[in-house]
Amino acid sequence: MKVGIVVDNDFVNDVRVFKEAAMLREKFDVKVLCFKTEQDLIYETSVDYVALGKRAKNALFAMSSWLPIYKWIWQAGIKKFIAKYSIDVLHVH
């Protein structure tokens, strides 16, 4: 089974999600979709990234109550992620 983990944050610095992914990898094929950071590139090879800087992320998130660009970016990213890896189950944070 292919499990997709979606994190609207950086992956390695979110220890809770990093540990969950490690446990799931023992039995499943796990792929992760998150924001891109330098540490993610060092530690993780099965990670797809949403290309959005931290300042842009914070600005778009703040404006999301009246202009849902942040939501649209994630919707597009998740659709591509599911299609690319044929994900069976999503675990979303």
Side-chain angles (χ1 to χ4, degrees), residues 2 5 8 14-15 17 29 34 40 43 50 53 59 62 64 67 76 86-88 90-92:
K2 294 181 183 177
I5 297 177
D8 75 335
D14 195 335
V15 177
V17 180
D29 180 17
C34 65
D40 290 326
Y43 294 110
V50 170
S64 66
L67 188 61
S86 301
I87 300 294
D88 298 314
L90 275 179
H91 180 69
V92 182

Side-chain angles (χ1 to χ4, degrees), residues 1-3 20-30:
M1 180 185 306
K2 294 181 183 177
V3 177
E20 286 176 3
M23 288 186 333
L24 286 171
R25 281 197 176 110
E26 292 175 7
K27 294 192 178 206
F28 304 105
D29 180 17
V30 176

Side-chain angles (χ1 to χ4, degrees), residues 35-36 50-60 70:
F35 283 116
K36 190 175 197 173
V50 170
L52 195 61
K54 200 164 208 147
R55 281 188 174 171
K57 171 199 168 209
N58 292 339
L60 290 173
Y70 184 79

Side-chain angles (χ1 to χ4, degrees), residues 12-92:
V12 173
N13 288 329
D14 195 335
V15 177
R16 158 184 66 111
V17 180
F18 191 75
K19 288 181 180 180
E20 286 176 3
M23 288 186 333
L24 286 171
R25 281 197 176 110
E26 292 175 7
K27 294 192 178 206
F28 304 105
D29 180 17
V30 176
K31 303 293 182 188
V32 177
L33 177 66
C34 65
F35 283 116
K36 190 175 197 173
T37 67
E38 299 278 328
Q39 288 180 324
D40 290 326
L41 293 174
I42 294 168
Y43 294 110
E44 201 50 49
T45 57
S46 62
V47 174
D48 275 9
Y49 301 99
V50 170
L52 195 61
K54 200 164 208 147
R55 281 188 174 171
K57 171 199 168 209
N58 292 339
L60 290 173
F61 186 76
M63 296 184 328
S64 66
S65 63
W66 50 277
L67 188 61
I69 295 173
Y70 184 79
K71 179 182 171 182
W72 297 336
I73 291 170
W74 272 105
Q75 284 177 337
I78 292 170
K79 284 179 186 178
K80 289 178 189 175
F81 178 67
I82 291 170
K84 180 177 179 179
Y85 294 111
S86 301
I87 300 294
D88 298 314
V89 177
L90 275 179
H91 180 69
V92 182

